[in-house]
Amino acid sequence: MPETRLGPIPSEPAHTVAAMTHPITPFHIDIPQAELTDLHARLANTRWPDELPGVGWSYGVPVSYLKQLAEYWRDEYDWRAQEATLNGYPQFVTEIDGQRLHFAHVRSPEPDALPLLLIHGWPSTFADFSQMIEPLTDPVAHGGDAADAFHLVIPSLPGFGFSGPTRNAGDAATRKYAETLAKLMELLGYDRYGAHGGDTGSLVSPELGRIAPDHVAGVHMNGPITIPGWGDERESFPEEEREALAKLTGWDEEGAGYAGIQGDRPQNLAYGLTDSPVGQLAWIVEHFKHLTDPARDLPEDAVDRDQLLTNVSVYWFTATAGSSARVYKESTDWGTPKESSGVPTGVAMFPSDVSLRTIVARENNLVHWTEFDRGGHFAAMEAPDLLTGDLREFFRTVR
């Protein structure tokens, strides 16, 4: 089990004053046994669909594969062990602008450590970063340099997991997420900090730079989401980006159905995923199959199977399939050109991610770009060592 530590809040007076309005309360994950029993019963009583022979994953998750994974989830996966591991890190809840916000806050033993936000995406949770927490907060104990230490703040985005559900329309927009996290860092007394994100987090982290450029020391992303605009002609991109551009412009024809459904009628999807654990499992596992390292055959070949099921379990136990999907409905500015904040920005690219460097450089002060030959979209789980190393390398330039 990881060592737990919170340490003193950097600015006790500011934290105390802020807490009068927004109290910060320690949080401990404790799923009632009745909910575990109910999950196991639902898995055992699943009404399975038919499937076509010989189509593999082309129609969705194969029944034979999902049956095996569901049986493992029911009979062998140990939620209590995963729960205990997560509870080894200090966690808290507060309320910002009427929205509940859950976060882990792990202080480094190094007093001069740089505060760093780690921001997940969909279908991820704060638990994605569990393998990176100790190396980032205590680099010396992991063969690194004390000068690379971070104090970590790892939120569950509003609507996701233990921050869910959202309470008002608009609370799941990426701009609103950034505003909420800026207020959280102010509440914690952190005046200068970094921000890292992947997937949805790659939209939130640069937005933080635009909202609070005087407080954000640097922005780092893995596989940033870049959406060509109407004015982006093919000829305006260098030759080496033409293939990526073609993939992005054709994205809505293959593999983007989930985004269309979640962006159009997330409430309709919520009924099935909130009622059926196998439905929730299939919806998330297909995404992992599609976006993990293409050199890996199955999702659990790229991501530890228990960590994958912990992700799914958090969505299931918190019933946040619907509220987490609202970001696709409410973030209406995706693809809209953005102004650069001027904040130094770094990018780590992993296999399976498709990003246009031209757009990243146009909308950010891009000073760091690394391409890796292993890992994938879920880099914090697939290649935590590589992502940790790239975070250290980039933030050395802005401390």
Side-chain angles (χ1 to χ4, degrees), residues 342-365:
V343 174
T345 299
V347 169
M349 290 294 298
F350 294 85
S352 84
D353 275 328
V354 181
S355 301
L356 295 168
R357 185 168 181 169
T358 295
I359 292 180
V360 177
R362 186 171 68 201
E363 299 185 351
N364 302 275
N365 177 19

Side-chain angles (χ1 to χ4, degrees), residues 263-296:
D264 186 29
R265 296 291 187 270
Q267 189 65 33
N268 291 348
L269 180 68
Y271 294 111
L273 302 191
T274 305
D275 188 59
S276 168
V278 163
Q280 179 69 92
L281 180 64
W283 193 248
I284 289 179
V285 164
E286 194 281 334
H287 208 62
F288 273 74
K289 166 65 174 176
H290 184 58
L291 291 176
T292 48
D293 191 333
R296 309 294 182 179

Side-chain angles (χ1 to χ4, degrees), residues 197-199 202 221-226 347-350 353-355 377:
D199 193 79
S202 77
M221 300 172 275
N222 65 277
I225 296 173
T226 54
V347 169
M349 290 294 298
F350 294 85
D353 275 328
V354 181
S355 301
H377 186 71

